[in-house]
């Protein structure tokens, strides 16, 4: 490069190279040997033996391309076994050090540093993906709220199952309906295998929110499969399901029980407003009905 006397910036260093280095055509082995030697360093094409064992001269710096580092050839593997004594750097470290006339810090040029940063980016990416998956599985309360029909009945329906003979105790489903604007419904069912479960499994047959009719049909179907009772007959048939099925207890104490056809209103229940359940269709808006997840038991 230059004929004038160079500073001994590589004194005491043994620099090796693995694979093609890239850069300009001037970066031949002969030139590197000369340039490094002028700065009182040594350039080799082999890693050598472990200096601690008294077997040869240990390499202090391995220069290689990113491709060669990812390939994990023999020289790179050997250098990785000596993280405290051998730096794995890019060609830029060697070139920049010579151009600036001083040995530059290796960290900014380190392949290991680049690998750590890449892994950290991947870790954060996976965190975002998992967060999105969780958001997809459940309903974000910042954007959705529990649906209420015209009777002011809130659609968060709980079904339980306790069957001692079958060894079942504390199983629970929570079916919910959630609204968003524009109104979209999204049915979801949460399944709790036993009492005290903090992580329910989520069942949601629709991949996206939809119109009320579609999501409510899914809600009714799920309810009937699990209880053996049609949703419209839940008041008159409450407490009649077999033990092997899930039980639904309608609200008591004068609380809203939701719309049901007149013929299925028990005598001891106050009149329920005769309003069509598909209230979302009345104004042609879409809403979100959300069930909570189930297992293979679903």
């Amino acid at each position: 490069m230059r004929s004038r006397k160079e500073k001994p910036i590589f004194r005491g260093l043994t620099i090796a190279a693995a694979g093609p280095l890239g850069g300009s055509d001037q970066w031949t082995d002969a030139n590197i040997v000369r340039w490094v030697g002028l700065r009182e360093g040594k350039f080799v094409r082999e890693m050598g033996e472990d200096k601690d064992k008294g077997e040869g001269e240990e390499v202090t710096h391995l220069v290689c391309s990113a491709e060669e580092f990812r390939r994990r050839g023999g020289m790179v593997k050997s250098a990785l076994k000596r993280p405290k004594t051998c730096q794995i750097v890019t060609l830029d470290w060697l070139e920049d050090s010579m151009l600036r006339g001083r040995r530059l810090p290796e960290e900014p040029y380190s392949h290991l540093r680049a690998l750590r940063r890449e892994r950290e980016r991947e870790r954060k990416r996976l965190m975002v993906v998992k967060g999105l998956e969780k958001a997809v599985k459940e309903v974000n309360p910042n954007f959705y709220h529990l649906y209420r029909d015209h009777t002011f009945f809130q659609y968060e329906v709980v079904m339980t199952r306790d069957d001692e003979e079958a060894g079942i105790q504390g199983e629970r489903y929570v079916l919910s309906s959630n609204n968003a604007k524009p109104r979209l419904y999204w049915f979801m069912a949460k399944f709790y295998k036993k009492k005290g479960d903090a992580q329910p499994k989520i069942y949601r047959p629709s991949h996206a929110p939809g119109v009320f009719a579609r999501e409510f049909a899914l809600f009714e179907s799920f309810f009937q499969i699990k209880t053996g009772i049609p949703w419209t007959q839940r008041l008159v048939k409450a407490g009649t399901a077999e033990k092997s099925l899930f039980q639904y207890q309608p609200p008591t104490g004068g609380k809203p029980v939701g719309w049901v056809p007149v013929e299925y209103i028990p005598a001891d229940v106050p009149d329920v407003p005769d309003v069509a359940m598909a209230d979302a269709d009345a104004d042609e808006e879409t809403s979100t009905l959300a069930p909570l997840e189930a297992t293979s038991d679903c």
Side-chain angles (χ1 to χ4, degrees):
M1 284 189 167
R2 293 173 290 184
S3 58
R4 67 179 178 82
K5 183 173 177 58
E6 301 293 346
K7 295 178 181 180
I9 61 174
F10 297 143
R11 180 181 293 166
L13 304 184
T14 298
I15 301 170
L21 297 178
S24 68
D25 295 337
Q26 298 181 50
W27 288 98
T28 62
D29 284 4
N31 281 340
I32 299 176
V33 168
R34 183 165 59 87
W35 296 336
V36 171
L38 287 171
R39 294 161 177 82
E40 299 190 14
K42 181 178 180 181
F43 178 78
V44 297
R45 268 292 182 176
E46 294 182 359
M47 285 296 294
E49 302 296 336
D50 193 334
K51 195 173 183 179
D52 292 337
K53 297 179 181 179
E55 301 174 342
E57 189 172 11
E58 186 177 17
V59 169
T60 59
H61 293 74
L62 178 65
V63 180
C64 66
S65 64
E67 292 75 16
E68 187 69 19
F69 180 76
R70 286 193 291 267
R71 192 176 71 83
R72 293 293 196 278
M75 294 184 71
V76 173
K77 285 183 178 179
S78 181
L80 287 171
K81 293 178 182 179
R82 313 174 192 177
K84 294 183 179 180
T85 60
C86 185
Q87 304 274 356
I88 308 176
V89 294
T90 66
L91 178 62
D92 289 338
W93 172 80
L94 188 62
E95 183 174 17
D96 291 350
S97 292
M98 290 191 293
L99 289 175
R100 299 186 188 183
R102 60 188 179 91
R103 176 183 167 183
L104 296 176
E106 291 85 0
E107 184 66 14
Y109 302 90
S110 169
H111 284 295
L112 286 174
R113 181 198 187 197
L115 179 62
R116 288 194 296 268
R117 295 179 68 178
E118 181 179 337
R119 287 176 175 173
E120 179 63 16
R121 286 194 295 269
E122 179 64 11
R123 185 186 69 82
K124 290 180 179 179
R125 186 189 70 81
L126 290 176
M127 286 178 62
V128 172
V129 170
K130 288 181 180 179
L132 290 174
E133 288 176 350
K134 184 177 181 180
V136 167
K137 283 184 177 180
E138 302 209 35
V139 176
N140 189 330
N142 293 321
F143 302 112
Y144 298 90
H145 61 273
L146 285 171
Y147 169 70
R148 296 175 185 269
D149 67 12
H150 287 303
T151 72
F152 298 102
F153 176 72
Q154 182 169 278
Y155 273 73
E156 188 172 39
V157 175
V158 178
M159 303 180 300
T160 60
R161 181 167 65 174
D162 292 297
D163 187 349
E164 293 183 3
E165 294 180 2
I168 298 172
Q169 187 171 7
E171 287 190 344
R172 176 165 55 104
Y173 273 105
V174 179
L175 312 187
S176 65
S177 165
N178 294 267
N179 291 6
K181 292 184 179 181
R183 280 189 173 181
L184 293 171
Y185 290 80
W186 212 348
F187 170 67
M188 181 176 68
K190 287 183 181 177
F191 177 67
Y192 299 83
K193 183 64 177 176
K194 59 184 178 180
K195 186 176 181 180
D197 271 359
Q199 297 294 329
K201 294 189 175 181
I202 307 298
Y203 170 72
R204 190 172 59 190
S206 299
H207 295 296
V211 296
F212 181 89
R214 183 192 75 184
E215 296 302 308
F216 189 68
L218 292 171
F219 173 90
E220 287 186 306
S221 174
F222 192 93
F223 181 87
Q224 185 165 353
I225 289 172
K226 294 301 177 183
T227 64
I229 298 173
W231 175 248
T232 54
Q233 299 178 34
R234 64 191 180 278
L235 301 185
V236 295
K237 291 190 176 182
T240 64
E242 299 178 5
K243 282 188 176 181
S244 61
L245 298 173
F246 281 83
Q247 310 295 316
Y248 171 68
Q249 178 61 50
T252 58
K255 297 177 182 178
V257 296
W259 178 85
V260 293
V262 175
E263 59 269 29
Y264 295 127
I265 299 177
D268 59 343
V269 175
D271 290 342
V272 178
D274 188 14
V275 179
M277 181 59 205
D279 63 330
D281 294 336
D283 55 10
E284 294 300 324
E285 290 183 305
T286 34
S287 275
T288 314
L289 187 60
L292 310 181
E293 183 165 29
T295 57
S296 57
D297 182 78
C298 292

